[in-house]
């Protein structure tokens, strides 16, 4: 859905803002940097529907900064970043694009870039064949080596990077998040896009995450998930696609999963988070428009100390 | 601990048998094939302590048949299999060694080889970057292509292969076990070494596993595990080593974890399993000898319809 | 409440259709067969309020086909079926009436008859005095012998029979439902009216039921129930009447019990059920009209992939 | 197993006493009354192995006093009570035999007869077809009418009747036990043989039962049970025989089920129960002798304020 | 907020009535008794907004009748009752004021006074240093000695006293409530203002409380609470103020805590309670007006058999 | 039981050591200081039975250092400390006695004194009448003012004070323990006697306590407890004496309560605790000798990395 149509729809469904994705054609980093009127044009589209933009997202390019590159990554990169697909150059071009993303965000007047980092050690998740602590440590050093220069670029334009803590990233739970912060010396450029849907099925309490990183939560995704364990399936989900009812867990429209958003809102209030609550909608068992609408209403009902309700347009096509 | 000492110890601790590992020097496949008295000498050592051998294990070589080979694999292979470490030749040499393992088992008079298979798709566990079902499918085709010739060699000598269902293998839960069976056309050569410690933390009910594959359980490991989730840690265990109390779960001496062995014994009896219950002992928080002894007693107390109690010497050094 | 009043009320409360009962005067089988304008007149009443009819119900007569007849059955049968109350003739007249019910449904243009079957072995529920498997088996044979001729009559007019799986019937849970299907050779005439309220207190997971019989769910009742166990009462409910708070469980207005309808809707969608969701309202602790209205709203809110919402008028007087 | 062999075995397995059953040839009521040396001979057999007899059991005849008699009852009655099997005379002969049982107990020097009562309303367990409270009430009046004369005979010889609260009996949970006591005007002749295995799967807390009827617990059975619900089976057990793993629950050797005997012993101590703890052993998944031995040890370990441990020989053949 | 403003607000937020507090200036006992038009003026204010008054509250003075008086009590008493703060005279003046409160209620036309009693033994809650049963008993005798004369004054004007069962009072759970009733000989003057928020965190089931004291529940507060235990905090709440997220539990806006109001309403209906459901709103994590509004809506949605919804203005300033 | 008899009994029951109490005549502080052979004589008695003494206890005097003194304290103090019972002098004499206790411990060659501190704010546990944070704070300041001089005396002789974290003390859970440490500036003199029985019923996880104060656990009590909540009773225990089955919780013989000692031992090992595990036996429902014996065996079975097992003789008379 092109941005004008999406903006109209989002406003109609009850949203106050949009989180623009840097893939597809909602917000194109290269155009933002090369074309001086581009950012203005984007904001005009939003303004026409009284929508704000609190953050932009560049998960897909960010993923390629640290990942061991394989064919899957081709599908998530623009050709100019993928190039010939040789791993190290891909990673470097991705890193460069992330620097540009910070600059583009600044031009748009946005202070937060949400995204992924990738990880060179994710595939060593289970410690067999035997895995030394030093091997893991080198993964965190690799993260610091690749992202510190990017974060320097962010600092230069006064923009923050909010990692969506998520499997396949350098941080996917509380301990790894702490590890990642330490790896970059605790610099404030690096914080989190809190999304409870990636934590709940791991058994991580979303409120504990907020308590642990109160000052470093720069953005919030409202997305739900539910474990559907019955003794015959696995929390690791059996190499089955999202939407397959045999999986151990799946995403859900907000309020239809097992996340206790009530406690999350209280914890965010207590942590003095004042940013938007951005709905990232994903539910294989429900019509998208129906879901986006009920999600907006759900967040409004939930949010007793009014925050603004945004829609994450990243996955909206 | 060399085999004579281990055998003496196992008998003293109360075991009836040993499951010999094909790494270290307990049971060496190449010697078994090249030296006609080797197998006899091994059996004599056991017989001296009234121990039986119900199965041999070759997990480490098996792991390398399908895995994407990296530096970790060097530490688990004998030099003759590792060679120069180029991935495809390593995989092929590993496959050849597994054929030899079947022959060696037959020479020893043993009908079961326990082991791992490795997997070319384990690292795609989480479906991001987006992963197509066809990519997973090709992992199972790779498994069939590499293992069917091995299984032919097993068939020739009348030996069965028992995959220990385990993360990083082609089968790690009920759905993937079913998938793996289908991939090799359901041939009876391929069955399972049931080990509940790898299932429980995934949320898979061990009894459901037994019910699902009643006729195909060729060997049983008695090993315990416990989730130690408290909201601040993750079932994925945060890239932390076994024994770290911050992990989401860890192995435990039998009876000190969360596995309900009572129900497992009943299910095995109902499935008409008549093989040994082999203790694979691992518990970072307890003295090994103390643990092995209490484990033998635990299994005897548990096993109301007497089976034989064996000790898995694979990890005993 | 006569049908015209009921139809007006149902429409006002938010329903799209009515499930007509063959007892009382909502839909009388004998009139439908003997009077050519009767069906038309019923449909006109519904059409006046924009209501559809997706199914008719004949639970009470169906109950008497297999039951051991006693005085209780007199209260649920029309005099012409009860006759002099001699058990075997009552059962045969009930069987005949069920054949007529199929013909009447066909005349009305309805493809589904919901109902009960009764059971000659229900009273042997607990296996004391010792009960042989063969005694149970003969109960299922009796069911087949009595219902197969009825199902032949259904087949002749292209109508399906949907047994409401329920205590006192030949099928009251998953295993007995499977047994009943086998008893009639799996003929498609015989399927189920899925009603989770009869399953939940037995500990049967409604979603598991749907998964087990996906293609054979011909109709769905939305009815809730709740266990109210506190250690002093029994799931068998102590010979206490519905509505007594000391019972182990009781029916509840939809959404006010313990049934997870969210998961049920997802399972029904996955099973490709496209029929109506028919509210069978029963709650001893709530005003009927209040309840029927909130139930209609509850189902609408629930049903994200819109199905039609019907009202089961069977118990509406 | 004839009594001399059983007594030897029980003593060897660690028991202090036997609870003699009035079916088979362990303790025959007619011989006890007609042959003056019979009781002496029984006691001599026990004394030879230092066993006591705290109670006798006559469940099977008791069952027939109130039951609707059918073919199943033939298998549990001696021919002289069954006669021609006409229901009412069977019930009356059973009632007469229960009076004789009291007299025989007195001759043996035993103060407690354990048993069943049967019930004329058990088959109306589920209130469909609709069941009036008056129908249930008449079942309790029937119980009183048939058992009060028997209780008069008990009173005459100073023996108490201990109903084993159990499905198919006039009392199967706390509310029905209270109802039964009221039906006979609270006469002390009528009390209970407390057996938690029949309560636990109904969801009745055994401790609550003890608290409710503290003074009226005349005997205790140590028998365990376990629910094996997994969402696919029913607490009503699907017309499946004991021992079938698909059942919703089953009996277990003491300590291998879900009953918390620790709390039961504390509650019995608090209720000032001083009688024996009699093991009624039943476990389809375990060898009987193995089980009886571990049960004796289990009860000894449990019973911190030493009571005597008896073995219920009723089902021992 | 002065009463006229509060009344306007309460009506706007959806309430039918107000529960007037005898502290602050909403309802002043001394003015009610000395000024004949005072009560009329209060009722006029309410009537202007169509509000009723079902009960008045005098918790703070009541607290001082039995308490060991210390500096905290000065803050909750009017100067004329506090006087020079000598404990015994304070207690006696408080007792006198409670008699006046009954008279004032009668003048206002209200039949219920809600309140606290205080307790001379609350500080002996934990039985260390060792506490004799007689010491506790003397606390209950003290309660009876001080309150019976007050209850005589209530009886004289036909008003009932409803103790809000609450920590620091003579009754704070079911057993102490029963003890308190016994202490005053079961006189009907003394009943309860049922407020589940004080019970739930103690582990007391609110429905059990209603069942235990069905006829003695004279008033109902709708107030919610939630345990927020995570293993690091205590149900005793660590000497931390309400609103501190580290506490073991806290109050919540109705419907946002863990109380199952559905079951409470059913129990109140069953107990034939016909009084108001009065919202006592307290939630440190939510805006007061927002909360009071959603609470009114919550109670309306809940209350299927319409009761009147009142607002407890006691804590409204 | 005098010390010689107790020592003989403890050795017979399987203990390695005794924890001597400073009340009764097991270890008298004044005699230890005034009589040079006293300590020797105590050690000789222990040595005769091969018992060690790892710690002495002076809970009762310690309690009176901070408490609001009332008549209950008279029963727990020697007359020379109680004197005329005027509160402030009692507190000062108690403080002096605690200094002497340190000196006596040093003379005995023991490095740890276990004990209580009392608290001037315990009675303000529930924050009504409204309690200011400053009132609580002054309680902690009072603790520091009274105990710092005592701790100075401890430092002088190189002895540590281990507060048994417990209701009625300045620290009763994790937050208050942290508060107390802060109040005395974190001085190492002040640590804890870890006793899980006082934590479990509060909902505090014993392992979390160990993790929080790893280096400051100077002694360990093995004592069990169990919540016996059923909806009708309160965790606050209704002013009922220990042993009353209606209480919300009670103490239990180790292994018969709800404490997971397995996890505690692992946590203590991880925290590098090397001191004794001292059984403080209390169980109103069990014979003391029986219990002390099974407790010794329980601790031995539990303690896989052998620690010494001591018996807390404090409450042994």
């Amino acid at each position: 859905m092109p941005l004008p149509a999406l903006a109209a729809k989002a406003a109609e469904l009850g949203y106050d803002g949009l989180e623009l994705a840097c893939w597809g054609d909602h917000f194109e980093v290269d155009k933002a940097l090369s074309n001086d009127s581009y950012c203005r044009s984007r904001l005009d589209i939003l303004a026409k529907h009284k929508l704000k933009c609190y953050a932009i997202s560049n998960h897909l390019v960010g993923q390629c900064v640290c990942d061991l590159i394989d064919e899957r990554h081709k599908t998530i990169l623009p050709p100019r970043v993928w190039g010939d697909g040789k791993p190290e150059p891909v990673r470097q071009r991705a890193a460069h694009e992330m620097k540009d993303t910070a600059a583009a965000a600044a031009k748009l007047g946005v202070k937060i870039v949400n995204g992924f980092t990738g990880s060179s050690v994710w595939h060593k998740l289970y410690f067999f064949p035997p895995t030394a602590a030093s091997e893991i440590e080198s993964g965190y050093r690799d993260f610091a080596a690749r992202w510190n220069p990017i974060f320097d670029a962010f600092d230069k334009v006064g923009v923050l990077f909010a990692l969506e803590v998520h499997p396949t990233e350098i941080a996917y739970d509380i301990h790894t998040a702490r590890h990642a912060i330490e790896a970059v010396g605790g610099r404030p450029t690096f914080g989190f896009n809190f999304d409870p849907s990636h934590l709940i099925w791991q058994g991580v309490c979303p409120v504990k995450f907020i308590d642990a990183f109160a000052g470093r939560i720069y953005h919030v995704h409202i997305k739900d998930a539910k474990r559907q364990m019955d003794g015959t399936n696995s929390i690791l989900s059996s190499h089955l696609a999202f939407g397959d009812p045999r999986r151990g867990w799946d995403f859900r429209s907000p309020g239809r999963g097992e996340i206790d958003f009530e406690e999350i809102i209280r914890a965010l209030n207590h942590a003095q988070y004042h940013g938007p609550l951005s709905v990232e909608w994903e539910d294989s068992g429900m019509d998208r428009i129906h879901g986006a609408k009920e999600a907006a209403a759900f967040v409004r009902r939930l949010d007793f100390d009014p925050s603004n309700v945004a829609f994450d347009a990243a996955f909206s096509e």
Side-chain angles (χ1 to χ4, degrees), chain A:
Chain A
M1 201 185 290
L3 187 58
L6 178 69
K9 196 72 196 168
E12 177 197 333
L13 296 176
Y15 290 91
D16 305 318
L18 277 182
E19 178 189 343
L20 295 182
C22 299
W23 53 97
D25 59 1
H26 291 173
F27 185 70
E28 295 172 74
V29 165
D30 52 350
K31 290 191 185 160
L33 295 187
S34 62
N35 178 339
D36 278 355
S37 65
Y38 182 78
C39 286
R40 184 70 271 148
S41 75
R42 300 286 101 179
L43 295 174
D44 286 350
I45 292 169
L46 299 185
K48 189 172 161 195
H49 300 286
K50 302 217 170 74
L51 297 173
K52 297 247 171 70
C53 179
Y54 304 99
I56 63 172
S57 299
N58 206 350
H59 292 65
L60 301 186
V61 170
Q63 183 71 27
C64 299
V65 173
C66 287
D67 260 20
L68 302 195
I69 302 300
D70 64 32
E71 286 296 311
R72 292 174 301 167
H73 298 84
K74 187 174 183 180
T75 67
I76 62 172
L77 284 179
R80 72 191 141 82
V81 180
W82 175 255
D84 61 1
K86 293 214 173 123
E88 185 52 30
V90 166
R91 284 192 284 262
Q92 290 178 12
R93 282 189 295 272
H96 191 267
E97 181 86 0
M98 289 312 293
K99 294 178 189 171
D100 284 355
T101 304
K107 275 189 90 170
L108 190 69
V110 157
K111 294 290 177 213
I112 310 280
V113 173
N114 295 320
F116 286 152
T117 59
S119 165
S120 64
V121 289
W122 167 254
H123 67 293
K124 296 185 178 173
L125 180 71
Y126 192 89
F127 270 35
F128 187 83
T131 305
S134 61
E135 292 180 71
I136 298 304
E137 201 48 47
S138 73
Y140 283 86
R141 275 202 304 273
D142 176 73
F143 158 66
R146 293 182 186 278
W147 279 90
N148 265 329
I150 302 173
F151 294 156
D152 293 342
F154 272 72
D155 286 350
K156 217 170 293 171
V157 293
V159 172
L160 299 169
F161 180 74
L163 166 62
E164 185 169 327
V165 174
H166 180 282
T168 77
E169 309 312 319
I170 197 66
Y172 56 87
D173 66 5
I174 292 176
H175 290 302
T176 52
R178 196 169 282 132
H179 203 164
I181 289 171
E182 288 163 8
V184 295
R187 64 189 297 173
T189 331
F190 176 64
F192 301 124
N193 176 29
F194 168 77
D195 184 334
S197 69
H198 309 305
L199 302 174
I200 196 79
W201 62 269
Q202 290 187 58
V204 178
C205 169
V207 166
K208 295 278 179 198
F209 189 94
I210 296 168
D211 289 352
F213 304 109
R216 218 174 269 271
I217 292 174
Y218 297 159
H219 197 258
V220 170
H221 270 184
I222 298 295
K223 191 178 180 184
D224 211 339
K226 187 164 188 176
R227 279 172 285 197
Q228 36 205 25
M229 307 296 293
D230 69 353
T232 71
N233 54 8
S234 160
I235 196 64
L236 301 182
S237 288
S238 317
H239 292 317
L240 295 168
F242 290 108
D244 189 313
R246 293 169 300 167
R247 283 177 59 89
W249 66 273
D250 216 330
F251 294 114
R252 288 287 173 92
S253 188
R256 293 184 180 263
E258 65 175 295
I259 293 176
D260 185 343
F261 284 103
E262 171 91 19
E263 298 310 307
I264 285 174
I265 298 299
R266 289 176 187 269
L268 287 171
N269 285 346
H270 187 252
Q272 303 198 277
Y273 172 79
H274 299 302
L277 303 175
S278 180
V279 173
E280 185 195 333
W281 197 89
E282 185 173 350
D283 187 332
S284 313
M286 188 185 288
D287 174 71
R288 175 185 302 270
I289 295 299
H290 178 104
K293 186 172 180 183
E294 80 169 30
F298 175 78
V299 177
R300 291 216 176 282
R301 204 160 59 238
L302 186 74
D303 187 28
F304 25 84
D305 196 300
S307 302
N308 293 294
V309 184
F311 186 74
D312 174 8
F315 300 99
S316 74
E317 273 175 291

